Amino acid sequence: MSRLISYDEAPPEVRAVFDDIKAARGVADVNNFWKALAVHPPTLARTWESLKHVMAPGALDPLVKEMLYLTASAAAGCTYCVTSHTAAARTKGMTPEMHGELLAVLGMAAETNRLAEALRVPVDEAFG
Amino acid sequence: MSRLISYDEAPPEVRAVFDDIKAARGVADVNNFWKALAVHPPTLARTWESLKHVMAPGALDPLVKEMLYLTASAAAGCTYCVTSHTAAARTKGMTPEMHGELLAVLGMAAETNRLAEALRVPVDEAFG
Amino acid sequence: MSRLISYDEAPPEVRAVFDDIKAARGVADVNNFWKALAVHPPTLARTWESLKHVMAPGALDPLVKEMLYLTASAAAGCTYCVTSHTAAARTKGMTPEMHGELLAVLGMAAETNRLAEALRVPVDEAFG
Amino acid sequence: MSRLISYDEAPPEVRAVFDDIKAARGVADVNNFWKALAVHPPTLARTWESLKHVMAPGALDPLVKEMLYLTASAAAGCTYCVTSHTAAARTKGMTPEMHGELLAVLGMAAETNRLAEALRVPVDEAFG
Amino acid sequence: MSRLISYDEAPPEVRAVFDDIKAARGVADVNNFWKALAVHPPTLARTWESLKHVMAPGALDPLVKEMLYLTASAAAGCTYCVTSHTAAARTKGMTPEMHGELLAVLGMAAETNRLAEALRVPVDEAFG
Amino acid sequence: MSRLISYDEAPPEVRAVFDDIKAARGVADVNNFWKALAVHPPTLARTWESLKHVMAPGALDPLVKEMLYLTASAAAGCTYCVTSHTAAARTKGMTPEMHGELLAVLGMAAETNRLAEALRVPVDEAFG
């Protein structure tokens, strides 16, 4: 299991990132992911900075972004990430029905991905 | 490269599926994926039947479903699937800006997925 | 693309492995995989030695072993391996119907693998 | 951890699927996978319907299909699936020796898959 | 195939990134990866900024970092990345013998990764 | 969970491998991985023999090999392997700073791997 660095024992540059995460998300403490990543402060700071920009509202709304994040994490088989992003998606409005449909798409994609590869399907010219 | 079965050489049970795909999508011919999958008619029929239901409008709209499909396919590294679902998402309204944000989320998820696993982060109790 | 080392340009320790592969398989030349792996003779020799033992008849017959190899390769998304092991399985007796059923199992496994992970299903006590 | 829906609390359409699974397998209760998937009844029904057809005896016997399923699940790294399909394969007759050989093929495939990709081996013309 | 944006057609914010890459690497033109990523300027800028920091000399020297990058890319099965990072590692001093040993470790890891998962090995207490 | 075979209950051919591992590593007992693999003595013997040769000092020093192994295992998402090879790398001299940089490269590679695939970037001619 990973070493988790709490706010109290964190050096100033880690506390600054934790403070920014807590303020941006309106939460009292950061998730274990950030406490574990704090073992390498430059990676902690860079990852949070990137995540903040990537997940900000844009052409896609935050719930859609969160569901894309969850789908990518599930396709990659990361248990921690599936758990944290399922929770985050619910907070942003994902209903059980939406979750069920996301799961159905995820499973269907996994099935057809493997079939397309196992059959070595040539790309259609029409796809451009 | 896979053997592709064209409509002309297809047996009746394959033609029936091809006809249904063409009608449902309003296209003149089916993609290579279906022509390759036609080597095993029961799998062709079952896969199309599932896909039709999974991708139908529901709690999630068709464009969101298509972007989830694209994200799962990209996370799984299936080139054919990435190509076909990028094309399909564009047809359903994905703009270049939306595509760019989808890519950013995809990449960010891949990075944090690996970090969470390499750090063996314990799941937060708060995630329930 | 990989550099391929032909028999004519190969050093003696590579030729010895190529000769053993050709004799064991009754073929006139080795596949590109071995010609590419010949860039590192110790890995070439070790890999062939392992493969020879692993694929020998045992509690599982050679066709079943070849279909397991093909399935693992398809699940891992290796195009070269899918192509070479599909060819090898056909040589060992895999019929189109058997291939179709293998594909169906492969796709079904991919789908349920992702669903089980995305739902974080706890292992049943009954599984022991 | 996933929410598991027991038979007692399940709505009628879920009970119908559970009943069919129990009858088909001759078991007193369904595995946790199905209880977790019951959060989305249409996906539960569709997945079971597909699985029932895919795993039925055909050109490949049930034990071979189960070992292919196990191999695909292990190659994809799904812990729950590896556990449940190892148990299922044993029930269908997989001996420790067969399991050992399956593992050897699985490991060997993983190794050569990565080598083939890292060397970017071009597909042999002979594979057709 | 991806759309590639050349320097001549690139907007100013893309040219600025291209200029920085060319200066940092001492090359006349950027690789296709950057030309493809330029379809979404914010992701282009963020990715390059991160890469520049991550790959800078630190506790690990640049050749070791490049070989780690190549290994991660090969384990993930990305053909483009394997090709570009093999080339980059050679430029930084990777000899054929070092490449051969890297491949051997990569293949060995893939094999034991799958075996450990398929056997569901419990983590040793001694690992801490 | 896997069945673990202890030294006391192991048959002679397993004890011989265990003895060799203990002597080579200067440890009092073998890790759980080897105890689990002992269910199939030929695979145990072959895997250890390969690992011993692959990880021996060569053109790459043992610490670099261990970090490559860790990176490959993390990219493949094997929890057991990440844990055991993180411990092994620390024993061989990996400092927290080196570990942090390894993680940064791992995450960066995962991100750009997915972007390169999702963009279907054509390989540069210059890579040869």
Side-chain angles (χ1 to χ4, degrees):
Chain A
M1 205 66 82
S2 183
R3 179 177 162 226
L4 301 180
I5 295 177
S6 69
Y7 191 89
D8 288 348
E9 62 179 318
E13 74 266 34
V14 167
R15 283 194 184 190
V17 176
F18 283 9
D19 283 336
D20 197 40
I21 296 173
K22 292 194 286 186
R25 296 185 166 177
V27 290
D29 196 8
V30 303
N31 290 339
N32 285 346
F33 175 70
W34 304 109
K35 293 177 186 170
L37 202 53
V39 295
H40 197 235
T43 301
L44 170 71
R46 187 176 52 75
T47 304
W48 166 244
E49 208 56 36
S50 288
L51 195 74
K52 193 166 52 172
H53 286 112
V54 167
M55 298 305 281
L60 298 175
D61 70 75
L63 174 55
V64 168
K65 285 190 173 182
E66 196 65 51
M67 290 193 297
L68 293 175
Y69 212 118
L70 171 55
T71 299
S73 300
C78 174
T79 302
Y80 180 84
C81 314
V82 164
T83 310
S84 65
H85 289 283
T86 299
R90 282 177 180 148
T91 301
K92 291 181 181 170
M94 182 177 71
T95 64
E97 187 60 28
M98 292 163 80
H99 189 206
E101 294 186 10
L102 179 156
L103 292 171
V105 174
L106 171 75
M108 201 67 219
E111 184 170 28
T112 55
N113 287 178
R114 289 304 161 228
L115 290 172
E117 292 183 324
L119 287 163
R120 292 156 294 134
V121 184
V123 172
D124 300 65
E125 289 183 17
F127 294 155
Chain B
M1 204 64 85
S2 184
R3 181 179 160 223
L4 300 180
I5 295 177
S6 69
Y7 191 89
D8 288 348
E9 60 178 319
E13 75 266 33
V14 167
R15 284 195 182 189
V17 176
F18 283 10
D19 283 336
D20 196 40
I21 296 172
K22 292 194 286 185
R25 298 186 164 175
V27 291
D29 196 6
V30 302
N31 290 341
N32 286 346
F33 175 71
W34 305 109
K35 293 178 186 169
L37 202 52
V39 295
H40 196 236
T43 301
L44 171 71
R46 188 176 51 76
T47 303
W48 166 245
E49 206 58 34
S50 289
L51 195 74
K52 194 165 52 171
H53 286 111
V54 167
M55 298 305 280
L60 299 175
D61 71 74
L63 174 55
V64 168
K65 286 191 174 184
E66 196 66 49
M67 290 193 298
L68 293 175
Y69 212 118
L70 171 55
T71 300
S73 300
C78 174
T79 301
Y80 180 84
C81 313
V82 164
T83 310
S84 66
H85 289 283
T86 299
R90 283 176 179 148
T91 302
K92 291 181 181 170
M94 181 177 72
T95 64
E97 187 59 29
M98 293 164 80
H99 190 206
E101 295 186 10
L102 179 155
L103 293 171
V105 173
L106 171 75
M108 201 67 219
E111 183 170 28
T112 55
N113 286 177
R114 289 304 158 230
L115 289 172
E117 292 183 323
L119 288 163
R120 293 157 294 133
V121 184
V123 173
D124 301 63
E125 289 182 16
F127 293 156
Chain C
M1 205 63 85
S2 184
R3 180 178 162 224
L4 300 180
I5 295 177
S6 69
Y7 190 89
D8 288 348
E9 62 178 319
E13 75 266 34
V14 167
R15 282 195 183 189
V17 176
F18 283 9
D19 283 335
D20 196 40
I21 296 173
K22 292 194 286 185
R25 298 186 164 176
V27 291
D29 196 8
V30 302
N31 290 341
N32 285 347
F33 175 71
W34 304 109
K35 293 177 186 169
L37 201 53
V39 295
H40 196 236
T43 301
L44 171 71
R46 187 176 51 75
T47 304
W48 165 244
E49 206 57 36
S50 288
L51 194 74
K52 193 166 51 172
H53 286 111
V54 168
M55 298 305 281
L60 298 175
D61 70 75
L63 174 55
V64 168
K65 285 190 173 184
E66 196 64 51
M67 290 193 297
L68 294 174
Y69 212 118
L70 171 55
T71 299
S73 300
C78 174
T79 301
Y80 180 84
C81 314
V82 164
T83 310
S84 66
H85 289 282
T86 299
R90 282 177 179 148
T91 301
K92 291 181 181 171
M94 182 178 70
T95 64
E97 186 61 28
M98 292 163 81
H99 190 207
E101 294 186 10
L102 179 155
L103 292 171
V105 174
L106 171 76
M108 201 66 219
E111 183 170 29
T112 55
N113 286 178
R114 289 304 160 231
L115 290 172
E117 293 183 323
L119 288 162
R120 292 157 295 133
V121 184
V123 172
D124 300 65
E125 289 183 16
F127 293 156
Chain D
M1 205 65 83
S2 183
R3 181 179 160 224
L4 300 180
I5 295 177
S6 69
Y7 190 89
D8 288 348
E9 61 179 319
E13 75 266 34
V14 167
R15 283 194 183 189
V17 176
F18 283 10
D19 284 335
D20 197 40
I21 296 173
K22 292 194 285 185
R25 297 185 165 177
V27 291
D29 196 8
V30 302
N31 291 339
N32 285 346
F33 176 71
W34 304 109
K35 293 177 187 171
L37 201 53
V39 296
H40 197 236
T43 301
L44 171 71
R46 187 176 51 75
T47 304
W48 166 245
E49 207 56 35
S50 288
L51 194 74
K52 194 166 52 172
H53 286 112
V54 168
M55 298 305 280
L60 299 174
D61 70 74
L63 175 55
V64 169
K65 285 191 173 183
E66 196 65 51
M67 290 193 297
L68 294 174
Y69 212 116
L70 171 55
T71 300
S73 300
C78 174
T79 302
Y80 180 85
C81 314
V82 164
T83 310
S84 66
H85 289 283
T86 299
R90 283 177 179 147
T91 301
K92 290 180 182 171
M94 181 177 71
T95 64
E97 187 59 29
M98 292 163 82
H99 190 207
E101 294 185 10
L102 178 156
L103 292 171
V105 173
L106 172 75
M108 201 67 219
E111 183 170 29
T112 56
N113 286 177
R114 289 304 159 229
L115 290 172
E117 292 182 324
L119 287 163
R120 292 156 294 134
V121 184
V123 173
D124 301 63
E125 288 183 17
F127 293 156
Chain E
M1 204 63 86
S2 183
R3 180 178 161 226
L4 300 179
I5 295 177
S6 68
Y7 192 88
D8 288 348
E9 61 178 318
E13 74 265 34
V14 167
R15 283 194 182 189
V17 176
F18 283 9
D19 284 334
D20 196 41
I21 296 173
K22 292 194 285 185
R25 298 187 165 175
V27 292
D29 196 7
V30 303
N31 290 340
N32 286 346
F33 175 71
W34 305 109
K35 293 178 185 170
L37 202 52
V39 295
H40 196 235
T43 300
L44 170 71
R46 187 176 51 76
T47 304
W48 166 244
E49 207 57 34
S50 288
L51 194 74
K52 193 166 51 172
H53 287 111
V54 167
M55 298 306 280
L60 299 175
D61 70 73
L63 174 55
V64 168
K65 285 191 173 183
E66 196 64 50
M67 291 193 297
L68 294 174
Y69 212 118
L70 171 55
T71 299
S73 300
C78 174
T79 301
Y80 180 84
C81 314
V82 164
T83 309
S84 66
H85 290 283
T86 299
R90 283 176 179 149
T91 301
K92 291 180 182 170
M94 181 176 72
T95 63
E97 187 59 30
M98 292 163 80
H99 190 206
E101 294 186 11
L102 179 155
L103 293 171
V105 174
L106 172 76
M108 202 67 219
E111 184 170 27
T112 56
N113 287 177
R114 289 304 159 229
L115 290 172
E117 292 183 324
L119 288 162
R120 293 155 294 132
V121 184
V123 172
D124 301 64
E125 289 183 16
F127 293 156
Chain F
M1 205 65 85
S2 182
R3 181 178 161 225
L4 300 180
I5 295 177
S6 69
Y7 191 88
D8 287 347
E9 62 178 318
E13 74 266 34
V14 167
R15 283 193 182 190
V17 176
F18 283 9
D19 284 335
D20 196 41
I21 296 173
K22 292 194 285 185
R25 297 185 166 177
V27 291
D29 196 7
V30 302
N31 290 339
N32 286 346
F33 175 70
W34 304 108
K35 294 177 186 170
L37 202 53
V39 296
H40 197 236
T43 301
L44 170 71
R46 187 176 51 75
T47 303
W48 165 246
E49 207 57 34
S50 288
L51 194 74
K52 193 165 53 173
H53 286 112
V54 167
M55 298 305 281
L60 298 175
D61 70 74
L63 174 56
V64 168
K65 285 191 174 183
E66 196 65 51
M67 290 193 298
L68 294 174
Y69 212 118
L70 171 55
T71 299
S73 300
C78 174
T79 302
Y80 180 84
C81 314
V82 164
T83 310
S84 66
H85 290 283
T86 299
R90 282 177 179 148
T91 300
K92 291 180 182 170
M94 182 177 70
T95 63
E97 187 60 30
M98 292 163 81
H99 190 206
E101 294 186 11
L102 179 155
L103 293 171
V105 174
L106 171 76
M108 201 66 219
E111 183 170 28
T112 56
N113 287 177
R114 289 303 159 228
L115 289 172
E117 291 182 325
L119 288 163
R120 292 155 294 132
V121 184
V123 173
D124 300 64
E125 289 184 15
F127 293 155

